[in-house]
Amino acid sequence: MAGAMAASLGAMVANLTSGNKKYADVQGRIDEIIPQLEALRDKLLELADADAAAFAPLSKAYGLPKSTPEEQAHKAQVMEAALRTACEPPYQIMETISQVVDLLAELSKIGTRIAISDVGAGAAFASAALKGASLNVFINAKSMKDRDYADELVAKTQTLLDDGCQNADRTYLAVERGIRWAKH
C-alpha cells in the first residue's frame, strides 16, 4: 500500500504539471509518465492482495502434523513450496516500486514546483515499501531448505533494496534541500 501511495503521489504531481505553460518543454514526457504511474499504482494494489493471498498456504503449512517421518517429509515439501510462493509477491512489489522510484526521481527534476514536496513524500513511501517487502522475502527465505535458491533470492532482494532505497533517498534529499534552501 505504501508503494501504491508513492505512485499515486507521483501521478498527482505529473497531473498538476500537465498542461502548465511553464512546463511545456516536458509536456510530452509528462504525458508518458502519468499512465505509467497509474498502471504501477494499480499493479501494486493487486500485488498487495496477492501478498496476503500467498501467506494463506504458508500459514496452513505451519500447522501440518509432523508426528511421523511421512508427515515430516510431507510438511517439509509443502513448506518449501509455500515459502517460495510467499516470496513471489513481495519480490514483485520490490521490482515494481523500483520503477516508481525511477519515475519519482525524474519528476523531482521536471515536475511542478508547487507540488514537489509530494514527490519527496512519494520517495519516502517508496523507500518504506521496499524495506517492508524485503523483510517478507528475507524471513521466508531464511526458512527454506534449498539454500542455493534462498541465497540467490536474498542476494537479488538485497540488490533491489539497496539500489531502490539509495535512489529513493537521493530523490527525497534533493526535494528536501530544494525546498529548504531554495531562494525565494
PDB file of all heavy atoms in Angstrom, residues 54-69:
ATOM      1  N   ALA A  54      -0.905 -15.107  -0.755  1.00  0.00           N
ATOM      2  CA  ALA A  54       0.224 -16.038  -0.772  1.00  0.00           C
ATOM      3  C   ALA A  54       0.608 -16.508   0.632  1.00  0.00           C
ATOM      4  O   ALA A  54       1.248 -17.552   0.790  1.00  0.00           O
ATOM      5  CB  ALA A  54       1.436 -15.395  -1.454  1.00  0.00           C
ATOM      6  N   PHE A  55       0.213 -15.746   1.642  1.00  0.00           N
ATOM      7  CA  PHE A  55       0.555 -16.143   3.003  1.00  0.00           C
ATOM      8  C   PHE A  55      -0.353 -17.268   3.509  1.00  0.00           C
ATOM      9  O   PHE A  55       0.057 -18.066   4.349  1.00  0.00           O
ATOM     10  CB  PHE A  55       0.483 -14.950   3.958  1.00  0.00           C
ATOM     11  CG  PHE A  55       0.868 -15.309   5.365  1.00  0.00           C
ATOM     12  CD1 PHE A  55       2.180 -15.582   5.684  1.00  0.00           C
ATOM     13  CD2 PHE A  55      -0.103 -15.413   6.349  1.00  0.00           C
ATOM     14  CE1 PHE A  55       2.539 -15.948   6.974  1.00  0.00           C
ATOM     15  CE2 PHE A  55       0.239 -15.776   7.642  1.00  0.00           C
ATOM     16  CZ  PHE A  55       1.566 -16.037   7.959  1.00  0.00           C
ATOM     17  N   ALA A  56      -1.571 -17.357   3.001  1.00  0.00           N
ATOM     18  CA  ALA A  56      -2.523 -18.358   3.494  1.00  0.00           C
ATOM     19  C   ALA A  56      -1.989 -19.790   3.406  1.00  0.00           C
ATOM     20  O   ALA A  56      -2.054 -20.535   4.399  1.00  0.00           O
ATOM     21  CB  ALA A  56      -3.855 -18.214   2.771  1.00  0.00           C
ATOM     22  N   PRO A  57      -1.442 -20.223   2.252  1.00  0.00           N
ATOM     23  CA  PRO A  57      -0.908 -21.595   2.202  1.00  0.00           C
ATOM     24  C   PRO A  57       0.263 -21.806   3.163  1.00  0.00           C
ATOM     25  O   PRO A  57       0.408 -22.893   3.737  1.00  0.00           O
ATOM     26  CB  PRO A  57      -0.444 -21.760   0.755  1.00  0.00           C
ATOM     27  CG  PRO A  57      -1.144 -20.703  -0.016  1.00  0.00           C
ATOM     28  CD  PRO A  57      -1.394 -19.580   0.942  1.00  0.00           C
ATOM     29  N   LEU A  58       1.060 -20.780   3.360  1.00  0.00           N
ATOM     30  CA  LEU A  58       2.187 -20.897   4.288  1.00  0.00           C
ATOM     31  C   LEU A  58       1.672 -21.057   5.715  1.00  0.00           C
ATOM     32  O   LEU A  58       2.172 -21.884   6.480  1.00  0.00           O
ATOM     33  CB  LEU A  58       3.098 -19.676   4.166  1.00  0.00           C
ATOM     34  CG  LEU A  58       4.342 -19.672   5.051  1.00  0.00           C
ATOM     35  CD1 LEU A  58       5.215 -20.898   4.781  1.00  0.00           C
ATOM     36  CD2 LEU A  58       5.127 -18.392   4.825  1.00  0.00           C
ATOM     37  N   SER A  59       0.677 -20.290   6.063  1.00  0.00           N
ATOM     38  CA  SER A  59       0.075 -20.391   7.391  1.00  0.00           C
ATOM     39  C   SER A  59      -0.460 -21.796   7.635  1.00  0.00           C
ATOM     40  O   SER A  59      -0.266 -22.371   8.709  1.00  0.00           O
ATOM     41  CB  SER A  59      -1.037 -19.349   7.522  1.00  0.00           C
ATOM     42  OG  SER A  59      -1.624 -19.418   8.799  1.00  0.00           O
ATOM     43  N   LYS A  60      -1.123 -22.361   6.630  1.00  0.00           N
ATOM     44  CA  LYS A  60      -1.642 -23.727   6.741  1.00  0.00           C
ATOM     45  C   LYS A  60      -0.496 -24.739   6.859  1.00  0.00           C
ATOM     46  O   LYS A  60      -0.588 -25.703   7.614  1.00  0.00           O
ATOM     47  CB  LYS A  60      -2.521 -24.068   5.548  1.00  0.00           C
ATOM     48  CG  LYS A  60      -3.874 -23.405   5.586  1.00  0.00           C
ATOM     49  CD  LYS A  60      -4.722 -23.841   4.407  1.00  0.00           C
ATOM     50  CE  LYS A  60      -6.056 -23.119   4.429  1.00  0.00           C
ATOM     51  NZ  LYS A  60      -6.907 -23.487   3.307  1.00  0.00           N
ATOM     52  N   ALA A  61       0.557 -24.511   6.102  1.00  0.00           N
ATOM     53  CA  ALA A  61       1.691 -25.447   6.115  1.00  0.00           C
ATOM     54  C   ALA A  61       2.337 -25.514   7.501  1.00  0.00           C
ATOM     55  O   ALA A  61       2.744 -26.598   7.942  1.00  0.00           O
ATOM     56  CB  ALA A  61       2.718 -25.048   5.068  1.00  0.00           C
ATOM     57  N   TYR A  62       2.409 -24.384   8.185  1.00  0.00           N
ATOM     58  CA  TYR A  62       2.990 -24.388   9.531  1.00  0.00           C
ATOM     59  C   TYR A  62       2.188 -25.291  10.471  1.00  0.00           C
ATOM     60  O   TYR A  62       2.741 -25.860  11.409  1.00  0.00           O
ATOM     61  CB  TYR A  62       3.055 -22.972  10.107  1.00  0.00           C
ATOM     62  CG  TYR A  62       4.243 -22.180   9.647  1.00  0.00           C
ATOM     63  CD1 TYR A  62       4.095 -21.058   8.851  1.00  0.00           C
ATOM     64  CD2 TYR A  62       5.540 -22.553  10.025  1.00  0.00           C
ATOM     65  CE1 TYR A  62       5.190 -20.322   8.433  1.00  0.00           C
ATOM     66  CE2 TYR A  62       6.635 -21.831   9.606  1.00  0.00           C
ATOM     67  CZ  TYR A  62       6.453 -20.708   8.811  1.00  0.00           C
ATOM     68  OH  TYR A  62       7.550 -19.995   8.398  1.00  0.00           O
ATOM     69  N   GLY A  63       0.888 -25.450  10.222  1.00  0.00           N
ATOM     70  CA  GLY A  63       0.035 -26.243  11.089  1.00  0.00           C
ATOM     71  C   GLY A  63      -0.056 -27.720  10.729  1.00  0.00           C
ATOM     72  O   GLY A  63      -0.758 -28.473  11.403  1.00  0.00           O
ATOM     73  N   LEU A  64       0.633 -28.136   9.680  1.00  0.00           N
ATOM     74  CA  LEU A  64       0.575 -29.550   9.280  1.00  0.00           C
ATOM     75  C   LEU A  64       1.194 -30.436  10.366  1.00  0.00           C
ATOM     76  O   LEU A  64       2.176 -30.052  11.012  1.00  0.00           O
ATOM     77  CB  LEU A  64       1.311 -29.765   7.959  1.00  0.00           C
ATOM     78  CG  LEU A  64       0.637 -29.222   6.706  1.00  0.00           C
ATOM     79  CD1 LEU A  64       1.565 -29.372   5.505  1.00  0.00           C
ATOM     80  CD2 LEU A  64      -0.689 -29.935   6.455  1.00  0.00           C
ATOM     81  N   PRO A  65       0.641 -31.639  10.528  1.00  0.00           N
ATOM     82  CA  PRO A  65       1.203 -32.557  11.533  1.00  0.00           C
ATOM     83  C   PRO A  65       2.607 -33.018  11.135  1.00  0.00           C
ATOM     84  O   PRO A  65       2.943 -33.060   9.955  1.00  0.00           O
ATOM     85  CB  PRO A  65       0.215 -33.724  11.538  1.00  0.00           C
ATOM     86  CG  PRO A  65      -0.493 -33.656  10.235  1.00  0.00           C
ATOM     87  CD  PRO A  65      -0.493 -32.211   9.820  1.00  0.00           C
ATOM     88  N   LYS A  66       3.378 -33.377  12.169  1.00  0.00           N
ATOM     89  CA  LYS A  66       4.753 -33.841  11.923  1.00  0.00           C
ATOM     90  C   LYS A  66       5.150 -34.944  12.909  1.00  0.00           C
ATOM     91  O   LYS A  66       6.292 -35.022  13.341  1.00  0.00           O
ATOM     92  CB  LYS A  66       5.723 -32.665  11.971  1.00  0.00           C
ATOM     93  CG  LYS A  66       5.675 -31.871  13.259  1.00  0.00           C
ATOM     94  CD  LYS A  66       6.651 -30.723  13.237  1.00  0.00           C
ATOM     95  CE  LYS A  66       6.510 -29.947  14.546  1.00  0.00           C
ATOM     96  NZ  LYS A  66       7.413 -28.860  14.647  1.00  0.00           N
ATOM     97  N   SER A  67       4.182 -35.775  13.233  1.00  0.00           N
ATOM     98  CA  SER A  67       4.425 -36.837  14.221  1.00  0.00           C
ATOM     99  C   SER A  67       5.223 -38.010  13.649  1.00  0.00           C
ATOM    100  O   SER A  67       6.035 -38.598  14.351  1.00  0.00           O
ATOM    101  CB  SER A  67       3.096 -37.354  14.768  1.00  0.00           C
ATOM    102  OG  SER A  67       2.386 -36.302  15.376  1.00  0.00           O
ATOM    103  N   THR A  68       4.966 -38.330  12.390  1.00  0.00           N
ATOM    104  CA  THR A  68       5.640 -39.487  11.786  1.00  0.00           C
ATOM    105  C   THR A  68       6.653 -39.000  10.748  1.00  0.00           C
ATOM    106  O   THR A  68       6.569 -37.859  10.278  1.00  0.00           O
ATOM    107  CB  THR A  68       4.612 -40.394  11.080  1.00  0.00           C
ATOM    108  OG1 THR A  68       4.077 -39.686   9.952  1.00  0.00           O
ATOM    109  CG2 THR A  68       3.478 -40.804  12.034  1.00  0.00           C
ATOM    110  N   PRO A  69       7.578 -39.852  10.357  1.00  0.00           N
ATOM    111  CA  PRO A  69       8.526 -39.460   9.309  1.00  0.00           C
ATOM    112  C   PRO A  69       7.827 -39.093   8.003  1.00  0.00           C
ATOM    113  O   PRO A  69       8.263 -38.173   7.303  1.00  0.00           O
ATOM    114  CB  PRO A  69       9.401 -40.711   9.135  1.00  0.00           C
ATOM    115  CG  PRO A  69       9.328 -41.422  10.443  1.00  0.00           C
ATOM    116  CD  PRO A  69       7.942 -41.142  10.968  1.00  0.00           C
TER     117      PRO A  69
END
